Amino acid sequence: MNIEFLSEVEALNDEYCSIEIDTCLESIALPFWSLEEIESGLNLREEWEVPDNLVPFQGDWHELLCLDADTGKVIYINDDREVVFSWPNTEEFLASLSKEEVVYDTEPEIISAWIDPDLLAKANDFKNKL
């Protein structure tokens, strides 16, 4: 395990706001963890079905950035624990970080929406009781 990298990863929050993943620049939505948070997270790996060789250092436990303690690779995994992207080492990972802010030029588009009829009925019943 690269303890030097993990002990300094939290400092990246002050400098970087995006990361290049598979040639696309993406915003870093969540902060990098402190060493204390990383160490605490080791106990949660089994509960979140994260392999023992992966040391999470950023994410919300659904999607995680991890250091592979066996190989030194940095691995980005999704909620299904599939590898989304990987960097061969911490140096390559650090080189993929950017200070450039990601600007999204489109507004989110609502594709569809619906209300569960049971929920609507309960809301109306509650309203009538007032």
Side-chain angles (χ1 to χ4, degrees), residues 34-103:
S34 68
L35 185 57
E36 184 178 300
E37 290 169 317
I38 293 168
E39 290 170 343
S40 295
L42 296 176
N43 297 325
L44 298 174
R45 288 183 295 192
E46 184 178 347
E47 177 182 342
W48 283 92
E49 299 178 358
V50 175
D52 286 342
N53 62 306
L54 297 183
V55 180
F57 63 87
Q58 192 267 359
D60 62 1
W61 288 99
H62 295 282
E63 294 185 345
L64 292 166
L65 284 171
C66 303
L67 179 64
D68 186 324
D70 295 338
T71 66
K73 290 182 178 182
V74 175
I75 310 288
Y76 172 33
I77 58 175
N78 63 18
D79 201 23
D80 295 324
R81 299 307 174 231
E82 300 166 331
V83 175
V84 175
F85 196 76
S86 68
W87 295 264
N89 52 51
T90 56
E91 292 80 12
E92 294 278 333
F93 172 76
L94 292 171
S96 72
L97 297 172
S98 175
K99 296 177 184 182
E100 185 178 335
E101 291 203 30
V102 177
V103 178

Side-chain angles (χ1 to χ4, degrees), residues 6-25:
L6 294 173
S7 65
E8 297 173 0
V9 74
E10 182 181 26
L12 300 174
N13 292 322
D14 298 332
E15 199 166 342
Y16 300 104
C17 60
S18 59
I19 187 168
E20 187 175 325
I21 298 176
D22 203 18
T23 70
C24 294
L25 198 61

